[in-house]
Amino acid sequence: MPYNIGVLNGDDIGLEVVPQAVRVMQAAIAAETGLDVQFHDFPVGWPSYLEYGHTLPQQTMDGLRQMDGFVLGPIGHAAYPKGDPNCVNAHPILRKQFDLFANMRPTRSYPTLPSVQRDVDLLVVRENNEGFQPDRNMIAGCGEFQPTEDSAFSVRVITKRGSERVARAAFEAARQRGGKRRVTAIHKRTVFKLTDGLFMRTVESVAKEYPDITLDDYQVDTFAMHLVMRPQRFDVILCTNMFGDILSDQAAGLVGGLGMAPGLNIGDTQAMAQATHGSAPDIAGKKLANPYAMIMSGQMLLEWLGARNQDARMVAAARRITTAVEQVLGEGKALTRDLSGTATTDEMGAAIAEVCRAL
Ligand code: ATP
């Protein structure tokens, strides 16, 4: 049975970086004899609105349910016309509808690239569907409300189930990474006594199932400082939704910026590759976008599929991408402008795909 992977280009630079991710995945898959993966395009975002009258049409939702996983490009929802119910921000809906409860965001430095910090290798595991994010806050009905002109409120939802699931994803990741075998949980327990109290009590309880992994914790403000000064100390960083969103961007800043920040949204049965960065309309159409984040998001999807299906060929395809990326970044010839190079998005993707084939 072939694997089926959905491809959703998204908006702006998504139209440039997603095809590079697919190109690299296809090259790595083709190099593994007997590995059969079919890619299927689905409409999403502004191009979908223009063609089908909706930024997330029903055919996309229906089709994605048949997929083993999918690749989602960045969505430029901030530029959509306001008030049109057919202009929705697809990614929180996809995360919620497909119950993708954990967002894995690795940060890695490469010795040959300009970066603020060296020898960084950490993974932010972020709860994906609760917290302060109003667009995901189904329990409260709406995450924000404004009872009067001069006052507005946000509701933060933390549940035992959500905390348990993301904690388990973090401990499993620490085990799989096999490095420092450490999970650092982030909170502001002194202020958010109920929500972060519940989150931390749940994390501490899950930690008992993983005696081989060390758990420690930091207040989010203290951690933000340590992350800048000594990121080498950390391995897996477990966060609630908004803290994880902020800290993973900060971590990306240590190693070359948002173009270097891949991500995978995981659930029990499906996963969605999605780079941390947005649709970057300022550089869209100029061939300047760094495809690394999207390519490595695709790599993470293949790795997740390989582990889930205990498929050594899929795992090998994922490793092939990692090695090819390391080689291309190491040579320093096909790098985009944000990495101090002069290559286009396409040239960098082509170079990585070429090494995938040659390895
Ligand atoms: P969102 O709110 O959708 O998450 P954002 O405000 O975080 O978006 P981005 O679109 O992610 O903003 O990008 C911020 C800036 O970082 C961009 O304007 C662009 O200059 C740079 N950037 C983002 N992604 C890339 C990339 N892949 N390659 C090069 N530069 C990028």
Side-chain angles (χ1 to χ4, degrees):
M1 278 279 283
Y3 291 90
N4 290 294
I5 294 182
V7 178
L8 303 95
N9 284 335
D11 295 319
D12 301 318
I13 63 166
L15 301 166
E16 297 162 67
V17 293
V18 174
Q20 299 313 316
V22 173
R23 168 190 224 167
V24 169
M25 282 191 280
Q26 282 175 331
I29 288 161
E32 299 299 330
T33 312
L35 185 56
D36 187 2
V37 182
Q38 309 287 323
F39 289 84
H40 308 264
D41 290 322
F42 292 100
V44 79
W46 191 243
S48 168
Y49 184 78
L50 295 178
E51 195 168 350
Y52 302 102
H54 204 290
T55 54
L56 185 57
Q58 192 58 42
Q59 73 211 64
T60 294
M61 295 303 282
D62 295 343
L64 290 179
R65 287 187 209 290
Q66 314 306 317
M67 299 291 112
D68 296 295
F70 41 100
V71 179
L72 175 70
I75 300 293
H77 61 97
Y80 293 171
K82 306 283 172 263
D84 183 340
N86 293 341
C87 266
V88 297
N89 180 9
H91 74 80
I93 298 172
L94 292 168
R95 287 173 181 188
K96 197 89 202 172
Q97 289 295 318
F98 290 91
D99 201 17
L100 305 172
F101 55 81
N103 186 195
M104 320 299 271
R105 291 183 163 182
T107 299
R108 200 187 143 178
S109 60
Y110 290 85
T112 50
L113 297 186
S115 69
V116 176
Q117 281 281 3
R118 299 264 158 224
D119 303 319
V120 182
D121 185 6
L122 54 85
L123 172 72
V124 172
V125 178
R126 166 197 176 202
E127 197 292 318
N128 227 3
N129 284 331
E130 303 185 338
F132 255 131
Q133 263 71 347
D135 54 7
R136 273 153 250 186
N137 200 329
M138 304 297 179
I139 293 176
C142 66
E144 284 194 304
F145 55 99
Q146 187 163 10
T148 70
E149 181 107 313
D150 300 331
S151 63
F153 297 81
S154 282
V155 177
R156 183 186 198 218
V157 174
I158 300 290
T159 67
K160 186 171 175 217
R161 180 166 182 260
S163 304
E164 240 167 35
R165 296 209 291 180
V166 73
R168 217 161 263 129
F171 282 97
E172 289 291 336
R175 220 174 233 177
Q176 207 179 335
R177 282 161 64 82
K180 300 185 187 78
R181 303 178 83 80
R182 179 174 171 204
V183 171
T184 302
I186 308 301
H187 57 85
K188 187 74 181 170
R189 204 176 193 172
T190 49
V191 177
F192 294 103
K193 291 189 172 65
L194 296 182
T195 47
D196 271 339
L198 173 59
F199 175 68
M200 282 307 299
R201 277 197 309 282
T202 310
V203 170
E204 282 154 6
S205 155
V206 171
K208 294 195 183 105
E209 296 167 27
Y210 297 87
D212 52 319
I213 308 292
T214 307
L215 170 69
D216 63 357
D217 67 281
Y218 282 83
Q219 299 264 351
V220 65
D221 43 348
T222 313
F223 180 76
M225 178 193 75
H226 286 297
L227 180 60
V228 170
M229 295 180 74
R230 284 184 289 272
Q232 300 79 5
R233 288 170 53 188
F234 300 109
D235 180 14
V236 175
I237 298 158
L238 169 59
C239 300
T240 50
N241 198 335
M242 188 172 286
F243 291 165
D245 196 21
I246 296 166
L247 292 171
S248 53
D249 270 32
Q250 187 183 331
L254 299 175
V255 301
L258 284 173
M260 297 301 290
L264 185 71
N265 301 277
I266 61 169
D268 285 330
T269 56
Q270 275 183 317
M272 172 172 85
Q274 183 191 17
T276 296
H277 60 73
S279 69
D282 55 326
I283 56 167
K286 298 180 181 163
K287 303 180 181 173
L288 295 174
N290 179 355
Y292 171 93
M294 205 66 242
I295 289 170
M296 288 307 285
S297 302
Q299 184 278 343
M300 291 174 77
L301 175 59
L302 299 193
E303 196 171 61
W304 182 86
L305 285 169
R308 186 175 141 69
N309 296 288
Q310 299 184 333
D311 185 341
R313 290 167 310 179
M314 189 63 101
V315 172
R319 287 220 183 99
R320 190 177 278 273
I321 297 177
T322 308
T323 308
V325 164
E326 282 167 359
Q327 192 171 315
V328 169
L329 296 184
E331 285 165 4
K333 287 185 209 139
L335 304 181
T336 46
R337 192 180 65 175
D338 58 312
L339 302 179
S340 306
T342 55
T344 63
T345 310
D346 187 73
E347 285 165 351
M348 186 162 160
I352 295 169
E354 187 50 44
V355 178
C356 275
R357 279 188 283 272
L359 279 171

